[in-house]
Amino acid sequence: MITDRINEVLAEVSGITADSAEALESLRIRYMSKKGIVSELMNEFRNVPAEQKREVGMKINELKTTIQDRISELRQRLSAAESDHSDIDLTRTPYPVRLGTRHPLSIVKNEIVDIFSRMGFAMADGPEIEDDWHVFSSMNFAEDHPARDMQDTFFIESHPDIILRTHTSSVQSRVMETTQPPIRVICPGRVYRNEAISARAHCFFHQVEGLYIDKEVSFTDLKQVLLTFAREMFGADTQIRLRPSYFPFTEPSAEMDISCNICGGKGCSFCKHTGWVEILGCGMVDPAVLEAGGIDSSLYTGYAFGMGIERITNLKYSVKDLRLFSENDTRFLEEFMAAH
Ligand code: PHE
């Protein structure tokens, strides 16, 4: 009998549940689709004798709305469960934790400082906004010395005496003012020069300055320390060569080349096919600089050297464009993930 079947389905429907959208969809198909149970009953309804049609028709309609109500109730429950975040622990550390990387210039700076501290050098520091005395005058640049033009200085407009330091040699001057020999310091820091920004030049970069002052310090000591540094930094096979040069604050002065780390000295575009690349300036501290720093130049001698950290980093990691160091492109920075 059709009414028995309707009651049976009604009882079944009161117990249905769905714990997923898929389960709910199969319930909808089972009861409400074209070939579903409700359609089946509608087909059977045609055979119901006329005098029962009214009663059976009402029963089928009741069944239909019951099923529809039940399905939409289940649908609502499912979407409420989806937006219910009560099972999320907000006190947990987010995962995965993205670790930052040390900047390549910091990695190389730390390595340089490490090498020199193993040779007995202590760290020293000084301001980036400096006065003319510490950057130039105490470093033996005369007032109208053309060497002042070697470095394009940024001036603080309202204070012609206050400038952004163009080299870390200003720290030498500050150390000498406050310390008597023996002095053995390494001074890393940022320096500024008014240059157009390109792949090979920037308006700021980083240097490491070294200074050693004591009795009987000679050029031989300088050479040995620099050779040791070059081999620690670039490998035991590294060769160095010193070429005579000029700096107001050292006499004699030299520039140091190392055998090209990229081609091993055979010649490549980085070393302009010479097999050598310049990495630093150095020399014996000019007696006038010692005196300006309050150190007796008849008792003491010293050497100094200064190198660009960007240059060392370029050589070590084949970075071809200086601008990469200050653009904060994480794709570039992440390449150094393994280096520290
Ligand atoms: N201050 C020099 C420069 O910036 C480098 C240097 C430092 C040279 C110490 C000699 C001695 O070019």
Side-chain angles (χ1 to χ4, degrees):
M1 270 300 288
I2 188 162
T3 40
D4 293 341
R5 175 76 181 128
I6 292 172
N7 287 334
E8 208 178 279
V9 178
L10 263 174
E12 184 186 308
V13 165
S14 70
I16 59 172
T17 54
D19 55 9
S20 67
E22 291 76 29
L24 186 68
E25 178 59 7
S26 54
L27 285 175
R28 193 195 60 80
I29 291 167
R30 174 172 164 76
Y31 295 105
M32 303 298 286
S33 67
K34 272 192 188 151
K35 290 184 179 166
I37 291 172
V38 173
S39 291
E40 226 174 75
L41 289 168
M42 294 298 262
N43 287 339
E44 268 182 59
F45 178 69
R46 287 194 214 113
N47 308 326
V48 170
E51 66 276 14
Q52 291 177 20
K53 268 211 153 61
R54 197 179 123 80
E55 197 194 333
V56 175
M58 278 168 63
K59 264 303 224 201
I60 293 183
N61 276 338
E62 184 197 330
L63 174 68
K64 222 168 136 176
T65 40
T66 306
I67 294 173
Q68 275 166 346
D69 287 354
R70 184 74 187 147
I71 285 181
S72 64
E73 187 193 329
L74 289 175
R75 181 169 296 133
Q76 261 173 27
R77 254 195 238 170
L78 269 180
S79 66
E82 261 169 33
S83 54
D84 174 13
H85 297 305
S86 59
D87 60 336
I88 294 179
D89 179 358
L90 296 175
T91 63
R92 268 187 62 181
T93 318
Y95 184 82
V97 179
R98 266 174 68 86
L99 278 185
T101 57
R102 226 182 265 286
H103 193 281
L105 293 176
S106 298
I107 297 171
V108 171
K109 180 203 77 183
N110 289 345
E111 210 176 330
I112 297 171
V113 169
D114 255 22
I115 294 170
F116 283 106
S117 58
R118 288 201 293 274
M119 291 193 267
F121 286 78
M123 277 263 273
D125 204 357
E128 292 175 17
I129 302 173
E130 259 293 8
D131 51 31
D132 180 275
W133 167 256
H134 291 101
V135 178
F136 292 127
S137 299
S138 68
M139 285 287 119
N140 202 32
F141 288 78
E143 204 51 55
D144 54 355
H145 199 300
R148 285 184 191 236
D149 294 338
M150 276 164 64
Q151 303 172 347
D152 304 293
T153 311
F154 279 118
F155 292 89
I156 308 283
E157 255 175 38
S158 48
H159 298 272
D161 188 45
I162 307 295
I163 58 180
L164 297 183
R165 68 179 179 195
T166 56
H167 58 179
T168 42
S169 299
S170 55
V171 188
Q172 280 192 40
S173 164
R174 286 188 174 271
V175 172
M176 286 186 240
E177 272 173 4
T178 54
T179 328
Q180 278 301 304
I183 292 171
R184 199 180 340 215
V185 288
I186 191 95
C187 330
R190 181 174 288 176
V191 300
Y192 301 83
R193 292 185 194 179
N194 190 1
E195 288 188 27
I197 296 169
S198 71
R200 313 192 112 249
H202 211 292
C203 59
F204 65 81
F205 59 99
H206 301 78
Q207 288 189 330
V208 175
E209 190 88 4
L211 176 68
Y212 180 30
I213 302 169
D214 204 347
K215 288 183 176 138
E216 291 170 17
V217 175
S218 72
F219 203 93
T220 317
D221 300 320
L222 171 63
K223 234 173 119 174
Q224 189 56 44
V225 160
L226 293 180
L227 176 65
T228 305
F229 165 71
R231 295 197 163 160
E232 292 271 316
M233 193 75 198
F234 295 105
D237 300 333
T238 309
Q239 304 292 317
I240 63 167
R241 78 176 182 189
L242 289 154
R243 285 178 289 103
S245 186
Y246 172 77
F247 299 103
F249 32 92
T250 46
E251 182 59 36
S253 303
E255 270 164 337
M256 188 177 94
D257 298 340
I258 60 162
S259 48
C260 180
N261 185 53
I262 289 170
C263 62
K266 288 190 205 74
C268 68
S269 62
F270 193 87
C271 61
K272 300 199 187 83
H273 303 281
T274 63
W276 296 94
V277 281
E278 184 201 319
I279 63 160
L280 57 81
C282 61
M284 300 307 291
V285 181
D286 193 293
V289 172
L290 294 176
E291 294 296 336
I295 289 168
D296 187 343
S297 64
S298 64
L299 275 178
Y300 296 106
T301 52
Y303 63 67
F305 55 86
M307 68 185 94
I309 303 180
E310 278 80 352
R311 184 137 188 91
I312 306 286
T313 311
N314 290 354
L315 257 173
K316 243 192 122 108
Y317 296 108
S318 302
V319 179
K320 297 210 171 57
D321 191 328
L322 268 182
R323 290 168 291 198
L324 287 167
F325 291 126
S326 47
E327 280 169 353
N328 273 343
D329 185 331
T330 50
R331 290 168 302 180
F332 170 69
L333 298 174
E334 278 166 4
E335 288 184 34
F336 298 88
M337 191 85 88
H340 56 99

